């Protein structure tokens, strides 16, 4: 995982080369990072999500936050197993992770995925894993509030119509609605809401382990249904905060043949572009 992150200057040729240390490396040097970045399965292996992983690292590096990843020691949180009903497998995966996190004396974790965020924050405490867990949109909001990210010197979003799709495990599951929107409000763009948003948001269709199976027979795929909300809002950018949502929304854009008109970008990607990182 760290090898993927360290490969090159991604996107902007002026970007600094990413140097992403692992917890093992930091501990060997007698250092304690402020934050552990939990990359997640999608952020590690999915080509599209890897871009988001890099951008989160760019933000952490640019703002001078001391952080590390687990690298090859990181494994799945167990969320897909639990949502699919395999509690035994979930607890096996969770206990392995908790033992590792506790061995490193991890206190604060930032995640790039709402599913990882929800599982570590809400499921792990009952198994002995108690940590301060934040989603990367909350991290970005905090850095904007501190003046460390200003949406200056990069790509302009002036005149763009941006709508935020609320991930289920971030919004309805954990009540995080304002942080992603605050991260977008700093842009010189027009923010628009879909008719189904916040606590009334519509699932992208990937939750409950649905990401890993074919849909049941029906009249319409749910991500196509969600795209109708996007089209009604007349948005040309869909802002996302979840790698599962990213996949489903991107597929919806393709199904509607709107790839030239509508872009799907993670909040981290928008932040990096706006700050010229």
């Amino acid at each position: 995982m760290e090898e993927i992150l360290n490969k090159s200057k991604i996107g902007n040729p002026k970007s600094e080369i990413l140097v992403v240390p692992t917890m093992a490396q930091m501990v060997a040097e007698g250092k304690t990072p402020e934050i552990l970045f939990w990359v997640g399965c999608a952020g590690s292996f999915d080509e599209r999500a890897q871009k988001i992983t890099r951008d989160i690292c760019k933000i952490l590096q640019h703002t001078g936050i001391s952080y590390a990843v687990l690298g090859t020691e990181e494994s799945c949180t167990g969320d897909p197993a639990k949502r699919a009903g395999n509690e035994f497998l979930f607890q096996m995966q969770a206990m392995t992770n908790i033992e590792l996190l506790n061995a490193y004396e991890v206190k604060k974790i930032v995640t790039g995925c709402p599913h990882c965020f929800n599982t570590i924050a809400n499921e792990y405490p009952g198994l002995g894993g108690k940590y301060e867990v934040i989603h990367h949109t909350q991290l970005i909001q905090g850095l904007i509030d501190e003046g460390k990210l200003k949406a200056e010197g990069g790509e302009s979003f002036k005149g763009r119509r941006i709508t935020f799709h609320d991930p289920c495990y971030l919004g309805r599951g954990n009540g995080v609605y304002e942080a992603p929107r605050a991260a977008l409000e700093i842009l010189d763009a027009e923010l628009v809401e879909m008719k189904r948003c916040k606590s009334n948001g519509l699932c992208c269709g990937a939750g409950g382990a649905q990401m890993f199976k074919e849909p049941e027979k029906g009249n319409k795929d749910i991500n196509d249904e969600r795209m109708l909300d996007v089209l009604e809002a007349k948005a040309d950018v869909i802002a996302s905060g979840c790698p599962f949502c990213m996949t489903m929304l991107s597929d919806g854009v393709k199904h509607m043949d709107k790839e030239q008109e509508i872009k799907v970008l993670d909040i981290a990607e928008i932040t990096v572009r706006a700050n010229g990182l």
Side-chain angles (χ1 to χ4, degrees):
M1 181 160 44
E2 65 273 23
E3 293 177 357
I4 291 172
L5 299 174
N6 285 334
K7 272 186 179 178
S8 62
K9 301 177 182 180
I10 306 300
N12 186 344
K14 296 185 294 184
S15 297
E16 298 177 359
I17 295 176
L18 286 173
V19 179
V20 183
T22 63
M23 283 295 297
Q25 291 169 341
M26 295 283 276
V27 170
E29 295 171 4
K31 300 176 182 178
T32 302
E34 179 183 347
I35 288 178
L36 170 71
F37 173 27
W38 186 278
V39 179
C41 299
S44 298
F45 302 111
D46 180 79
E47 186 174 355
R48 179 66 184 87
Q50 285 174 358
K51 297 177 181 179
I52 301 168
T53 297
R54 294 186 184 103
D55 281 351
I56 294 173
C57 290
K58 286 181 184 180
I59 292 168
L60 289 165
Q61 183 168 298
H62 173 72
T63 53
I65 296 175
S66 172
Y67 75 101
V69 298
L70 287 172
T72 55
E73 291 186 285
E74 182 184 303
S75 61
C76 181
T77 61
D79 169 79
K82 187 174 183 67
R83 306 310 156 198
N86 193 334
E87 180 68 19
F88 176 71
L89 176 58
F90 161 71
Q91 291 201 19
M92 285 180 60
Q93 293 176 306
M95 289 302 299
T96 299
N97 291 328
I98 290 169
E99 287 178 8
L100 180 65
L101 292 170
N102 289 348
Y104 280 129
E105 298 182 349
V106 170
K107 299 293 188 295
K108 187 173 183 178
I109 299 172
V110 62
T111 74
C113 174
H115 293 253
C116 297
F117 167 72
N118 177 74
T119 301
I120 299 173
N122 299 324
E123 308 288 355
Y124 279 24
L127 298 171
K130 298 180 180 179
Y131 320 102
E132 178 186 354
V133 189
I134 61 172
H135 185 255
H136 70 280
T137 58
Q138 295 174 304
L139 172 76
I140 291 169
Q141 180 202 20
L143 292 170
I144 289 172
D145 291 345
E146 293 170 14
K148 294 182 179 179
L149 292 172
K150 300 181 179 180
E152 296 175 353
E155 180 180 334
S156 172
F157 285 84
K158 186 175 182 179
R160 309 290 295 275
R161 287 175 63 87
I162 303 177
T163 190
F164 178 67
H165 167 79
D166 290 282
C168 294
Y169 282 94
L170 186 65
R172 290 198 302 271
N174 289 281
V176 179
Y177 297 113
E178 298 310 317
R181 290 170 171 82
L184 294 172
E185 285 170 0
I186 195 173
L187 303 173
D188 188 13
E190 182 180 356
L191 304 185
V192 294
E193 293 285 5
M194 289 180 274
K195 65 179 181 181
R196 288 179 281 196
C197 64
K198 298 186 178 181
S199 61
N200 191 42
L202 182 68
C203 177
C204 72
Q210 296 295 313
M211 182 77 176
F212 308 101
K213 57 182 284 296
E214 292 300 317
E216 291 84 358
K217 184 178 179 180
N219 297 323
K220 186 189 302 177
D221 284 351
I222 192 167
N223 56 338
D224 289 341
E225 174 70 17
R226 188 53 164 161
M227 278 304 301
L228 296 178
D229 292 344
V230 174
L231 295 175
E232 184 177 330
K234 298 180 180 178
D236 52 41
V237 176
I238 308 172
S240 172
C242 172
F244 289 0
C245 294
M246 174 64 68
T247 296
M248 301 301 283
L249 294 170
S250 296
D251 284 350
V253 170
K254 291 176 185 176
H255 293 166
M256 296 289 184
D257 197 24
K258 295 291 183 180
E259 290 178 274
Q260 299 304 313
E261 295 92 346
I262 301 174
K263 303 300 179 185
V264 187
L265 296 170
D266 189 89
I267 296 281
E269 294 180 301
I270 293 173
T271 300
V272 164
R273 291 187 183 196
N275 285 271
L277 304 182

